[in-house]
Amino acid sequence: MSIKIQMLDDTQEAFEVPQRAPGKVLLDAVCNHLNLVEGDYFGLEFPDHKKITVWLDLLKPIVKQIRRPKHVVVKFVVKFFPPDHTQLQEELTRYLFALQVKQDLAQGRLTCNDTSAALLISHIVQSEIGDFDEASDREHLAKNKYIPQQDALEDKIVEFHHNHIGQTPAESDFQLLEIARRLEMYGIRLHPAKDREGTKINLAVANTGILVFQGFTKINAFNWAKVRKLSFKRKRFLIKLRPDANSSYQDTLEFLMASRDFCKSFWKICVEHHAFFRLFEEPKPKPKAVLFSRGSSFRFRKHSKIHSIRSLATQPAEPNSEVPKQAQQSASLTLGEGAESPDGQSCQQGKELNASSAERGPHQSPALQKSPVGNKKADGAVKAMAEEEEEVVKDRTQQSKPQPPQPSTGSLTGSPHLSELSINSQGGAVPANVVFSPNLSPDTKQASPLVSPLLNEQACPRTDDEEEGRRKRFPTDKAYFIAKEVSTTERTYLKDLEVITSWFQSTVSKEESMPETLKSLIFPNFEPLHKFHTNFLKEIEQRLALWEGRSNAHIRGDHQRIGDVMLKNIQGMKQLAAHLWKHGEALEALETGIRSSRRLENLCRDFELQKVCYLPLNTFLLRPLHRLMHYKQVLERLCKHHPPSHMDFRDCRAALAEITEMVAQLHGTMIKMENFQKLHELKKDLIGIDNLVIPGREFIRLGSLSKLSGKGLQQRMFFLFNDILLYTSRGLTASNQFKVHGQLPLYGMTIEESEDEWGVPHCLTLRGQRQSIIVAASSRSEMEKWVEDIQMAIDLAEKSSGPTPEFLASSPPDNKSPDETAVADQESEDDLSASRTSLERQAPHRGNTMVHVCWHRNTSVSMVDFSVAVENQLSGNLLRKFKNSNGWQKLWVVFTNFCLFFYKSHQDNHPLASLPLLGYSLTIPSESEDVHKDYVFKLHFKSHVYYFRAESEYTFERWMEVIRSATSSASRAHILSHKESHVY
């Protein structure tokens, strides 16, 4: 039968479905037609035979719900509105949400004050017609009515639109949703009812619970955690609350609705919202009664939000894709007693955004061209799917003093006034702009929500004249910029210390899960360092202020040096050596405590999910040891730059001797702790390992290879240690971990290049004593790296006298033949997707680790690369520009762990976004790219292009140097020789 569907852009499409098809078939057909991955947020509504608008039940046959399909138009609309639109992982999904907001504005459902309405419409206009032009704006507004009383707001709309110049359609959609979600009526549908006294009210349901309105004013809210049971009896809708001694409410609240059908319809909507936003597992079917039954048989069977997020794991899910925290517990309230569950909104650590709109013009639609909701001007303009992974973290107002962030609770009760809408002094929205793009995986070839940080380029505009004036005012001496690097990296180092001394310590103080002995080992050894380096930074910045000559430009001489400040403070640092020696011990004690205490493990895991903890927690414990190497590098550059006759040379050389001595003393501890930290970091990413961290085990390389099995070439993650090689696949679990499929002991292994034998490029056969596997690398250089490292590991295993430890809980038996092992491997994959209940209960896990980046970029990284990366850390201001934009945006950028982290300023407590650099190419723009500026370098990966401008030749060369170390790892021999020349 044919059914007409009205899309969100008011076009109609006819869909053919089988006569007895359930509702889900029709919804799936619409989503497939739109190329919509996140279809679980949407639903189909239609008027039933009593003219009541109801949702199409996805399990019941369509013919039993829609009596006259030829005469009914079914609407495709947003059904579930998440508390934060950055949980939407696809640009197309956000585009459809923006269309829904546009509809709700036009129909008067999304009520707000005039200023908010004008701001919303200005973003819609920017998305539809592009940059500001007053004549075009007024002509467009005359033809299009976005709100009933639009004429009175026209001047305001035009004024706001002027502030959005350069904003892409996806950025406009993002800002539209950012403003709309703060409005009290966002995503709200009112259902008329009366209370016990007969007063007319409206009921509504949201992600947080059930809301009560009088007119358009919210007068009450019942969060899901407070609700024990929902039921209806004829026209009466009943809410049974949990007992609360402090509450003045009765145990059961009763509301009267117009009819039983209205009442049941609202009850079903409440059950669906509760299940979607709160349930961790789908409810089991209720057994049918033998003779008769009581009550409704309705059960919500659509995917909950947790399943909606997890369904995207069939694509290569983006790093830092976390499960909302309130979904971690199951809560049932439909027919009986409900399990206690935490109150509050979703607090999602990773916000994933796509980058494809960076490549499209202001008039282009994010939908693929076959989509009926696409803008007709987009012919040929939408780029093909591109691969990108970046973690984008929503911008929050920064606090002057670090306070551990608290998860928000309760309903969104803010009043929708302009002052609460994040408006800057020019009238535009404060930038939190980010845009989305899909990805392709070697296994699934499906789209993935992998992202790019598109921050508002009007945030910190700077004209070329201002830039030139600034360069004339400031010194050009290379020594000045070397000294400035000490200052900028010291700022980042202090922030990293605060992660432990302020944020982590505050979190720990609220819990009783950390033993006092562990607290006394960590915090008393960090606090003196924080105090010392606070004063150190102050002295450096005072010296730089004199050097820059802001108040004494006519004076030359004694202040234009940094060696004396470095010498004084490095000598002071030697007094803190006792604290530095304790960091390795603290790291080991913390990991031991985590292993022995589930409460401490949960506390540390939850802390890692906070935005301020932008790296694995144990990484921060090693920061003081790494910082010593940075001082040594800086002093080496200063000594090389200054001639012996220079006034600063003697102090720089003395400071270098002091710091070299300290680094040499800590060299052994540093190497041991880096390996220890890396093993524990990998352990969090792996499922199926009993004892990864054992004495004598060393990590060598991890990366993506294709493994030949019965299903053909399958992408796998390989982990190489000095005694064993593991291969894993990404699990379909809430924790985003990699499940181990097999192990290959290295003792007695041989490697053969077998491209000719199997007809697969860059192919290797790894022959163990009891098992063989065939793998293929993504390129010749990748294959050579693996061959070099595996051969080195085999040599190490041959020299070691002890037996190879067996540590996998579910590894294939060693006596199986290679063919049997392949079958077992295949079966274990099926088990992974079939029986997941125990895995799904695991808590969210950081999804932006190096393991996930290597998986998405189909590359590898070695421990030697990690060690070099520790040396190559850098911070400072850079100007950034995108491929198709004109303006440059000033950002504070931190480079560490093969990744660029972007901040608005160095005072921010957490990054706005990050860009993992593995797989990117680093070049200088060509003449044809029309970037006529000095000190510009270019980063590009497939269709994604970023330009960065440094302030001087020295800083330009430094950024090029450190980024090159992350984008293209050199050969092992070259790196080792480099390491030897920079002995700790």
Side-chain angles (χ1 to χ4, degrees), residues 450-620:
L450 303 178
V451 297
S452 168
L454 289 187
L455 308 173
N456 192 328
E457 298 191 12
Q458 298 173 34
C460 299
R462 177 188 285 171
T463 65
D464 291 336
D465 291 340
E466 287 173 338
E467 183 69 16
E468 284 304 314
R470 183 186 176 283
R471 286 188 179 175
K472 287 174 184 175
R473 289 198 309 273
F474 286 90
T476 56
D477 181 18
K478 181 178 178 179
Y480 163 78
F481 292 108
I482 297 175
K484 192 170 182 182
E485 183 183 326
V486 180
S487 166
T488 56
T489 53
E490 192 74 7
R491 285 174 178 171
T492 297
Y493 175 52
L494 263 181
K495 284 289 183 185
D496 287 350
L497 289 178
E498 284 171 8
V499 171
I500 301 296
T501 60
S502 179
W503 298 82
F504 188 52
Q505 187 168 10
S506 177
T507 301
V508 166
S509 65
K510 296 173 185 174
E511 302 279 346
E512 298 299 323
S513 51
M514 181 177 280
E516 288 300 324
T517 52
L518 185 54
K519 289 183 188 177
S520 63
L521 187 58
I522 296 176
F523 303 120
N525 285 304
F526 267 85
E527 285 161 352
L529 290 175
H530 183 267
K531 185 178 179 181
F532 175 85
H533 286 279
T534 301
N535 294 326
F536 186 12
L537 176 61
K538 194 178 296 182
E539 287 186 37
I540 296 170
E541 291 186 331
Q542 287 171 350
R543 176 58 57 87
L544 284 173
L546 289 171
W547 201 332
E548 289 164 358
R550 292 171 194 167
S551 58
N552 57 341
H554 59 286
I555 305 174
R556 294 189 58 81
D558 203 37
H559 54 268
Q560 294 188 340
R561 58 183 182 141
I562 196 70
D564 57 330
V565 178
M566 296 291 290
L567 178 60
K568 173 194 165 188
N569 282 279
I570 286 171
Q571 287 172 339
M573 228 178 285
K574 293 184 80 171
Q575 311 305 314
L576 300 173
H579 298 294
L580 293 172
W581 279 103
K582 290 284 186 180
H583 290 305
E585 188 181 336
L587 175 59
E588 290 181 328
L590 178 63
E591 294 297 346
T592 303
I594 288 172
R595 196 162 57 248
S596 57
S597 168
R598 180 61 61 87
R599 289 180 64 193
L600 180 58
E601 181 185 5
N602 291 339
L603 180 141
C604 292
R605 182 200 63 227
D606 291 343
F607 180 74
E608 278 197 325
L609 294 175
Q610 294 185 19
K611 296 175 185 176
V612 71
C613 189
Y614 67 103
L615 299 170
L617 175 60
N618 54 19
T619 302
F620 292 101

Side-chain angles (χ1 to χ4, degrees), residues 36-233:
L36 178 62
V37 177
E38 296 173 277
D40 290 333
Y41 288 101
F42 299 81
L44 299 169
E45 63 175 11
F46 65 97
D48 68 3
H49 62 287
K50 294 183 180 178
K51 304 301 179 187
I52 300 172
T53 299
V54 295
W55 293 102
L56 186 71
D57 192 318
L58 300 186
L59 294 184
K60 289 183 181 178
I62 298 170
V63 289
K64 289 191 175 182
Q65 302 178 72
I66 305 177
R67 294 194 174 178
R68 302 172 68 193
K70 290 183 180 178
H71 303 282
V72 171
V73 176
V74 179
K75 290 184 178 180
F76 175 78
V77 291
V78 177
K79 187 173 186 178
F80 301 104
F81 290 78
D84 192 337
H85 63 283
T86 52
Q87 291 173 9
L88 306 175
Q89 300 170 341
E90 293 279 310
E91 182 185 328
L92 174 58
T93 314
R94 285 199 308 284
Y95 174 64
L96 296 174
F97 266 69
L99 289 177
Q100 183 68 64
V101 168
K102 181 180 166 185
Q103 259 192 28
D104 291 348
L105 268 175
Q107 294 168 9
R109 272 207 293 254
L110 184 59
T111 58
C112 56
N113 62 30
D114 289 349
T115 307
S116 301
L119 188 57
L120 287 166
I121 295 170
S122 70
H123 283 295
I124 296 173
V125 171
Q126 175 71 20
S127 178
E128 291 183 349
I129 68 171
D131 286 343
F132 171 79
D133 176 81
E134 186 164 353
S136 302
D137 277 22
R138 296 194 183 276
E139 183 183 348
H140 184 78
L141 290 170
K143 293 178 182 176
N144 298 273
K145 295 297 177 187
Y146 298 107
I147 200 168
Q149 290 78 36
Q150 182 174 297
D151 292 344
L153 302 178
E154 188 168 303
D155 291 339
K156 246 180 193 176
I157 295 168
V158 171
E159 181 187 344
F160 282 138
H161 185 209
H162 185 263
N163 295 317
H164 306 330
I165 291 173
Q167 205 168 267
T168 65
E171 288 173 280
S172 298
D173 293 348
F174 187 93
Q175 291 287 18
L176 177 72
L177 297 178
E178 177 67 13
I179 297 161
R181 76 178 181 89
R182 300 166 187 263
L183 302 178
E184 203 162 61
M185 297 302 294
Y186 175 63
I188 295 299
R189 294 195 176 203
L190 300 178
H191 300 260
K194 293 180 181 178
D195 62 13
R196 278 183 171 171
E197 286 71 43
T199 306
K200 289 184 178 180
I201 49 119
N202 290 304
L203 297 178
V205 62
N207 63 286
T208 54
I210 297 169
L211 313 177
V212 183
F213 287 81
Q214 202 153 36
F216 291 103
T217 305
K218 184 168 67 177
I219 59 173
N220 217 331
F222 303 100
N223 287 347
W224 294 126
K226 298 177 183 176
V227 178
R228 183 179 176 186
K229 184 178 180 179
L230 293 178
S231 58
F232 68 96
K233 190 173 184 180

Side-chain angles (χ1 to χ4, degrees), residues 22-36:
K24 188 174 188 309
V25 171
L26 182 58
L27 181 60
D28 288 348
V30 177
C31 292
N32 290 337
H33 179 75
L34 296 176
N35 288 319
L36 178 62

Side-chain angles (χ1 to χ4, degrees), residues 370-441:
K370 66 186 282 187
S371 167
V373 296
N375 188 321
K376 292 180 181 178
K377 295 181 182 179
D379 295 338
V382 179
K383 295 279 184 182
M385 291 183 180
E387 296 184 25
E388 183 68 75
E389 307 101 50
E390 298 167 26
E391 173 190 2
V392 175
V393 184
K394 187 172 173 244
D395 178 24
R396 296 277 173 90
T397 304
Q398 301 301 316
Q399 301 170 346
S400 58
K401 202 171 184 181
Q403 298 288 336
Q406 301 297 324
S408 55
T409 58
S411 56
L412 297 168
T413 56
S415 172
H417 296 297
L418 181 65
S419 60
E420 300 181 31
L421 290 177
S422 298
I423 306 301
N424 67 14
S425 57
Q426 284 78 33
V430 168
N433 295 5
V434 281
V435 212
F436 280 38
S437 103
N439 188 339
L440 296 177
S441 146

Side-chain angles (χ1 to χ4, degrees), residues 806-822:
E806 303 292 333
F807 58 79
L808 297 185
S810 56
S811 58
D814 286 336
N815 58 0
K816 287 192 176 184
S817 68
D819 292 339
E820 288 174 313
T821 303

Side-chain angles (χ1 to χ4, degrees), residues 237-281:
F237 181 75
L238 306 169
I239 304 174
K240 191 170 186 178
L241 301 176
R242 299 184 187 283
D244 185 356
N246 301 321
S247 175
S248 58
Y249 297 122
Q250 310 97 321
D251 179 50
T252 303
L253 299 172
E254 182 177 312
F255 301 91
L256 194 67
M257 305 193 83
S259 68
R260 180 188 180 279
D261 287 346
F262 273 111
C263 199
K264 183 177 181 180
S265 175
F266 181 65
W267 174 80
K268 287 173 72 173
I269 293 168
C270 291
V271 172
E272 289 175 327
H273 272 74
H274 175 267
F276 187 82
F277 288 105
R278 300 285 286 185
L279 287 188
F280 188 79
E281 295 177 344

